[in-house]
Amino acid sequence: MLFKIASVAALVSSVAAHMAMNEPCPRFSPNCATQPQLPAGQSYNYNIKDPIAYDGPVFMSDVPWPQPVASWTAGQPVTVGFQADGAAHGGGHCQFAISYDNGKTAAIVHKVMEHCFFNDSLDSNTAEVLKYTFTLPADVPASSNAQFIWIWTNAVGYRELYTGISDITIANSGGSKSYTGKSAIYPNHAGYDTIPAFNGNYTTGMSLYDNAPNVTITLSGYIAEQLSNKKPISSRISEPLSSNSSETSSASPKAPVWPFMFNTGSARRLHQQYQVLSRRLTKAQMASVSLARSSCCMIM
């Protein structure tokens, strides 16, 4: 009887304990080497290894740490670390992204595709790689209030999504005001395509990442999405974050300027860009875009 109880406990533990980031420390992980004092009204997230709810927010918290947990420099190496006691589910696809608007818009700065947490194909639950060091792009703007985002789609097991969001600072002596990269995507989450179990084919789902649109992130958090010649994936920005979330810029938000919308492209292309923006902007911002659109051209 005791053996059966121990076996069940071990099984439950192996199912519940997934991979989780611990460097830079995600909100509000109790498993980091060091972390800031908790904000008022918040508690440690002892479920940080759980998958993201299919139809819930893509991050477990939209409340930032009161102080940054890491200070990075554009153009220099940075390191991302993971807990050693998590189930790695055969690896899969990992995205690493930067955001300036509390995760609502994120641009990829690094990817580990196919074999995240492993050196090669291995249908194992025990991770081989727990740290990734890569160079932060040189044109990532400086900010005292940036977010680093990790997104993982597992290769083996239930079709799930895992994420982590950390509050960081970025230094950049070059004066860059924006960064353009592939938009972060959230497979296996409501509004996104589901990537099936890899079953030994580690290129499964790669087209979703390849076809992700480019996105330009700036200190104000506004985006300028540039559609590639490839068909955009089905995508959805997460629900608006709470009004308590802080903007990177202390100034009042200004209406964005969208010069790419009114170039000499075809009416169909302009309409596609307008549809993308309509999913991203507030009603007030869309009103200004709609006015400019109607004065520019008639698009049915």
Side-chain angles (χ1 to χ4, degrees):
M1 181 65 179
L2 290 177
F3 174 77
K4 288 184 178 179
I5 293 175
S7 298
V8 171
L11 177 61
V12 170
S13 176
S14 68
V15 171
H18 306 286
M19 298 302 294
M21 181 170 63
N22 64 2
E23 179 187 358
C25 190
R27 306 165 181 173
F28 296 112
S29 173
N31 304 318
C32 304
T34 61
Q35 58 268 103
Q37 183 177 356
L38 286 170
Q42 302 299 315
S43 58
Y44 285 117
N45 180 9
Y46 292 98
N47 299 315
I48 195 134
K49 293 183 177 181
D50 287 358
I52 297 299
Y54 175 77
D55 56 354
V58 294
F59 305 110
M60 291 189 177
S61 177
D62 63 0
V63 178
W65 285 112
Q67 294 88 35
V69 296
S71 297
W72 290 356
T73 301
Q76 296 299 311
V78 297
T79 297
V80 180
F82 299 88
Q83 293 178 230
D85 56 351
H89 293 295
H93 306 318
C94 283
Q95 304 169 81
F96 303 93
I98 292 293
S99 175
Y100 296 102
D101 59 2
N102 209 12
K104 187 161 64 173
T105 307
I108 299 300
V109 293
H110 187 67
K111 291 188 296 185
V112 179
M113 308 306 286
E114 302 184 28
H115 311 301
C116 196
F117 308 122
F118 293 93
N119 293 312
D120 204 344
S121 301
L122 186 64
D123 289 348
S124 170
N125 254 356
T126 303
E128 295 180 323
V129 180
L130 294 174
K131 286 185 180 291
Y132 287 102
T133 298
F134 57 90
T135 299
L136 193 65
D139 51 345
V140 170
S143 173
S144 61
N145 185 19
Q147 298 82 44
F148 172 74
I149 293 167
W150 161 68
I151 308 164
W152 173 40
T153 304
N154 55 308
V156 176
Y158 292 116
R159 308 322 302 141
E160 295 171 331
L161 174 71
Y162 301 86
T163 69
I165 182 168
S166 307
D167 300 286
I168 65 171
T169 66
I170 298 175
N172 189 330
S173 60
S176 175
K177 300 300 182 184
S178 65
Y179 169 75
T180 298
K182 287 286 189 182
S183 177
I185 62 172
Y186 302 88
N188 304 341
H189 191 265
Y192 290 88
D193 292 325
T194 296
I195 296 178
F198 289 13
N199 293 323
N201 179 9
Y202 280 78
T203 63
T204 300
M206 289 287 287
S207 61
L208 298 182
Y209 302 89
D210 293 341
N211 293 341
N214 287 340
V215 64
T216 296
I217 53 175
T218 70
L219 294 183
S220 64
Y222 295 132
I223 57 95
E225 190 153 9
Q226 303 159 343
L227 298 179
S228 68
N229 291 328
K230 300 176 182 178
K231 182 179 179 181
I233 61 169
S234 61
S235 60
R236 178 180 76 90
I237 284 296
S238 58
E239 294 300 319
L241 300 173
S242 71
S243 58
N244 294 327
S245 62
S246 58
E247 289 288 339
T248 301
S249 173
S250 59
S252 300
K254 298 179 181 179
V257 178
W258 310 105
F260 64 93
M261 286 193 63
F262 310 114
N263 57 24
T264 58
S266 67
R268 182 181 298 275
R269 179 178 173 83
L270 290 174
H271 186 50
Q272 288 175 329
Q273 292 171 334
Y274 178 84
Q275 288 179 315
V276 169
L277 289 172
S278 68
R279 299 196 303 269
R280 303 263 185 167
L281 303 182
T282 65
K283 290 182 179 179
Q285 292 164 354
M286 276 306 301
S288 64
V289 172
S290 296
L291 179 61
R293 173 174 175 259
S294 61
S295 63
C296 163
C297 48
M298 181 64 69
I299 303 175
M300 300 303 292

